[in-house]
Amino acid sequence: VNDEESPAGDLEARRGRVLGASYRLFYDEPIQVVRGEDVYLWDADGRRYLDAYNNVASVGHSHGEVVSALAEQAAVLNTHTRYLGAEVVEYAEDLIVTFPGSLDRVVLTCTGSEANDVAYRLAKVVTGGNGVLVTSNAYHGVTDAVAQFSPSLGPAVAPGPHVRAVRAPDTYRESTDGIGQRFAADVATAIDDLRAHGLRPAAMFIDTVLSSDGVQTGKAGYLRPVQEVLQSAGVLLVADEVQAGFGRTGHMWGFERHGLEPDLVTLGKPMGNGHPIGGLVGRSELMDEFGRTARYFNTYGGNTVSAAVGRAVLRVIRRQGLVDNSAAVGTYLRSRLRDLQSRQPVIGQVRGEGLFVGLEIVDADGRADGDRAGHLVNGLRHRGVLVNTTGPHANVLKVRPPLTFSAAHADVLADALEEALLEDFKRS
Ligand SMILES: Cc1ncc(COP(=O)(O)O)c(C=O)c1O
């Protein structure tokens, strides 16, 4: 915690007074960030940090082309979708071509939560049910409806009676061969259980990297059996791409890696590189059925400036080859981390896809070691490298840098982690 006498400590105290208890800060000594550029953040004292955590500024902090698109459009016009405007249409066209042909309609929101909320409304309309399936430590957002199917919010937010949280795959502890079948069988049981309680299942929401379940990227295709169960039960599959989307996994979309054909796809975070844009993409027959009965207007969703920003982000991803960079640098980063793992058995597993990497931190018996993971996060922070933890036991180091990360940055991260591990052994 920052010293109260210091400027950062004073700001922390003032923040606590006005923002209150529901806001949390990262790190034992919170950082006052004042500037960002590409993969770097600077604090108020001018110290530079390598950002290996932010998937929002996914094409790099303060990217010039995105900032210019925002400023130039804001200087001309910013209005909403009740007027005919070329910008939002062009953005929707640019976005849709990145999806398989069957996913051909888009609805724009401001956040990932809103996108999941609209997806849930739509699923209720087209299936006539309200049952929802999610993974056991899922996070899908903040609205009342969505929080009820976000079990990672903890026991204070009770899951709705219409929600079934299915034990998430644990790619460290379960066998690679059986994991997809086991997960699919549990989803089938949960569907039966909803029906046994007189509830009709409407949708399953799956974060296609299972980020909050501990970055359970697993073997490509292991989520296919779940899709088969959902299809035969008439339950919609919503691929939540708020974490996995826009090139993060070395594929444009996380669902592609598993060969999934989702009914709906929800988008957020990297979509605007820091500007609040979210969206829902889906099959026209579903989207149009919803649209016939429900008018959709979102004051800011699809506004002219957001559309210009969204287009710029797509352009930058394409022009800078960021999907391929994510795949190549992610592979290199994991090879460096696996080398470290061979010397440091507290790293039980190095997993991930593209630039979404999870390191399972374990004790001598292979049990989740959240304390050590927390120490490592802070050890890295004090060495100028930013990561965080995830998973139900907060023992998985989550490494998820901007997609412009290079092999040289990966080396800095791996070297700093080795130092943090050595220091942590001295402590324990
Ligand atoms: C998988 C996933 N879905 C949805 C959301 C909600 O997005 P937002 O914070 O933009 O509402 C998040 C945010 O962390 C997320 O990780």
Side-chain angles (χ1 to χ4, degrees):
V1 176
N2 286 306
D3 171 8
E4 267 206 48
E5 302 293 304
S6 69
D10 177 48
L11 188 62
E12 208 177 314
R14 281 166 51 209
R15 175 188 147 109
R17 280 196 290 278
V18 289
L19 298 184
S22 58
Y23 284 88
R24 310 285 154 81
L25 287 160
F26 287 153
Y27 309 118
D28 58 0
E29 202 178 310
I31 304 172
Q32 184 187 353
V33 280
V34 296
R35 188 164 78 84
E37 190 185 318
D38 193 23
V39 296
Y40 294 109
L41 290 170
W42 282 263
D43 73 12
D45 297 324
R47 180 168 185 203
R48 191 179 81 165
Y49 297 83
L50 177 65
D51 181 4
Y53 188 66
N54 273 292
N55 67 336
V56 173
S58 192
V59 302
H61 290 281
S62 311
H63 193 290
E65 184 168 340
V66 179
V67 173
S68 299
L70 184 148
E72 283 165 22
Q73 185 59 52
V76 175
L77 174 75
N78 191 18
T79 187
H80 54 68
T81 52
R82 297 305 288 268
Y83 297 99
L84 195 56
E87 294 78 6
V88 68
V89 176
E90 284 159 1
Y91 178 43
E93 287 169 349
D94 286 357
L95 188 60
I96 288 295
V97 295
T98 68
F99 285 88
S102 56
L103 297 167
D104 55 355
R105 290 274 195 282
V106 55
V107 152
L108 291 160
T109 64
C110 306
T111 66
S113 300
E114 271 186 300
N116 282 325
D117 197 85
V118 181
Y120 182 47
R121 277 179 61 201
L122 188 151
K124 287 198 291 185
V125 168
V126 300
T127 63
N130 73 341
V132 187
L133 301 123
V134 289
T135 53
S136 43
N137 205 49
Y139 181 70
H140 295 290
V142 295
T143 70
D144 186 34
V146 176
Q148 287 185 46
F149 57 85
S150 293
S152 72
L153 289 172
V157 183
H162 56 290
V163 176
R164 295 293 178 276
V166 181
R167 180 162 64 94
D170 179 340
T171 49
Y172 175 57
R173 293 172 185 82
E174 290 186 73
S175 96
T176 308
D177 291 340
I179 195 167
Q181 297 299 341
R182 192 283 296 163
F183 183 48
D186 285 358
V187 168
T189 305
I191 291 173
D192 290 345
D193 186 57
L194 280 170
R195 290 195 173 125
H197 286 81
L199 296 158
R200 186 186 294 185
M204 178 157 196
F205 287 72
I206 303 183
D207 162 357
T208 56
V209 282
L210 283 85
S211 165
S212 54
D213 288 294
V215 193
Q216 304 296 348
T217 40
K219 209 170 143 191
Y222 91 93
L223 295 175
R224 273 293 299 188
V226 172
Q227 165 156 321
E228 282 154 28
V229 166
L230 297 172
Q231 267 170 355
S232 64
V235 179
L236 299 188
L237 170 59
V238 184
D240 181 330
E241 292 280 339
V242 171
Q243 292 280 347
F246 294 92
R248 171 65 42 195
T249 65
H251 304 259
M252 187 65 179
W253 306 112
F255 68 79
E256 290 172 318
R257 191 181 153 249
H258 288 293
L260 299 178
E261 292 138 29
D263 300 291
L264 300 170
V265 181
T266 56
L267 310 174
K269 293 190 194 286
M271 194 171 183
N273 208 48
H275 184 79
I277 319 179
L280 171 67
V281 173
R283 293 195 279 116
S284 45
E285 66 270 27
L286 299 177
M287 303 285 268
D288 292 350
E289 185 176 338
F290 177 65
R292 267 192 291 278
T293 49
R295 178 177 65 82
Y296 179 78
F297 173 62
N298 183 325
T299 303
Y300 299 115
N303 73 71
T304 333
V305 168
S306 297
V309 169
R311 285 193 89 192
V313 169
L314 289 175
R315 260 195 324 269
V316 169
I317 291 175
R318 253 193 328 268
R319 205 191 51 250
Q320 293 187 207
L322 294 182
V323 181
D324 290 345
N325 189 66
S326 175
V329 177
T331 300
Y332 175 73
L333 174 60
R334 275 187 298 284
S335 77
R336 281 289 326 254
L337 296 173
R338 288 199 176 114
D339 176 54
L340 186 53
Q341 179 191 16
S342 67
R343 297 189 294 282
Q344 301 289 0
V346 301
I347 304 177
Q349 190 180 45
V350 176
R351 54 180 178 252
E353 195 65 29
L355 281 170
F356 207 134
V357 176
L359 291 100
E360 177 93 26
I361 305 300
V362 294
D363 65 14
D365 300 316
R367 282 185 305 244
D369 193 345
D371 282 348
R372 190 180 296 277
H375 287 295
L376 291 173
V377 165
N378 286 304
L380 281 168
R381 174 248 180 269
H382 290 291
R383 286 175 171 74
V385 177
L386 304 181
V387 301
N388 223 310
T389 56
T390 188
H393 310 290
N395 72 310
V396 178
L397 292 190
K398 178 160 79 165
V399 179
R400 198 190 44 177
L403 301 182
T404 53
F405 217 60
S406 69
H409 299 134
D411 287 335
V412 170
L413 168 74
D415 292 344
L417 180 58
E418 179 140 38
E419 280 178 35
L421 278 159
L422 293 173
E423 183 192 63
D424 198 50
F425 288 130
K426 282 192 223 137
R427 175 194 62 83
S428 55

